[in-house]
Amino acid sequence: MVLSSKIAAIGLAIVTIALGAFPTTDAAAALIDSATKIKFDDDLGGLPLFGVGVRKKGPIKVYSVGMYSSPTVKSSLASVPKSTALSTLRTSLQSSDVPKTTFLLKMNFKVGAEKMASAIAEGVLPRVAAAANKGEVETLKKLILDGCATKGAATPGTVLQFDCLAEEDSVKVIVDGKEIGVAEGLCGAFCDVFLDEKGVSPAFGIVVLRIAAVEVSVGDMG
């Protein structure tokens, strides 16, 4: 299986609840990705769940992803125009007021360790603004490889956890509950893989914003 470097073309199908209704952060229970039947708890280390989706390659459901972040994110979006809500969200996730945002990837389909690490790294690299930090993308790739080394692949059931730490501007990699290491200078770039205008899917940003009580549509996001 080949994972395209053009991650934006892969797409992310978003789980909705109750015939299309989005849960609020306060009321949301554990979510099950309807595409993969993979469950995400509504809380991870004290951080509430903001959204769940599935990454596909053609008809193949590669992994489900959940985003967890601080409740303060919601207040940062309370009074912003719809047209700038997504960019405000991304800025908020890089603020010291939001010390950690976690993207939890739960594998549904077996992907070789090299291919999985390369796909993620290729999504991060063009989003790294500072040239000095681009070398850290290789560090991130190696951490993912090291985390999957025992199995030789990201097999179904493997959990890849990426803690985006705003204050340190770093990404901590944890695989199946074991901390592997940290890549510096990549916090914003990693978040943008899922949340910028050219990211995996505008729908993922929309579901996160709606859970944060900002009612937007694709048209609102330009």
Side-chain angles (χ1 to χ4, degrees), residues 137-213:
V137 177
E138 282 300 313
T139 300
L140 176 66
K141 179 178 176 180
K142 185 178 185 304
L143 292 173
I144 298 169
L145 281 169
D146 290 348
C148 297
T150 302
K151 300 176 182 177
T155 56
T158 299
V159 178
L160 303 168
Q161 179 174 332
F162 299 92
D163 290 344
C164 298
L165 308 172
E167 193 166 1
E168 296 89 348
D169 189 20
S170 62
V171 178
K172 181 186 295 183
V173 179
I174 300 168
V175 179
D176 290 336
K178 179 182 178 181
E179 184 175 331
I180 308 301
V182 176
E184 304 291 342
L186 301 181
C187 176
F190 195 95
C191 290
D192 285 352
V193 169
F194 294 96
L195 295 173
D196 71 12
E197 294 85 347
K198 296 181 180 180
V200 175
S201 171
F204 188 78
I206 288 172
V207 73
V208 170
L209 290 171
R210 286 183 174 171
I211 289 175

Side-chain angles (χ1 to χ4, degrees), residues 47-73:
L47 300 178
L49 178 63
F50 272 67
V52 173
V54 61
R55 177 176 166 185
K56 292 183 176 181
K57 172 63 176 176
I60 298 172
K61 301 159 187 173
V62 182
Y63 62 74
S64 294
V65 55
M67 177 185 137
Y68 297 82
S69 193
S70 169
T72 62
V73 173

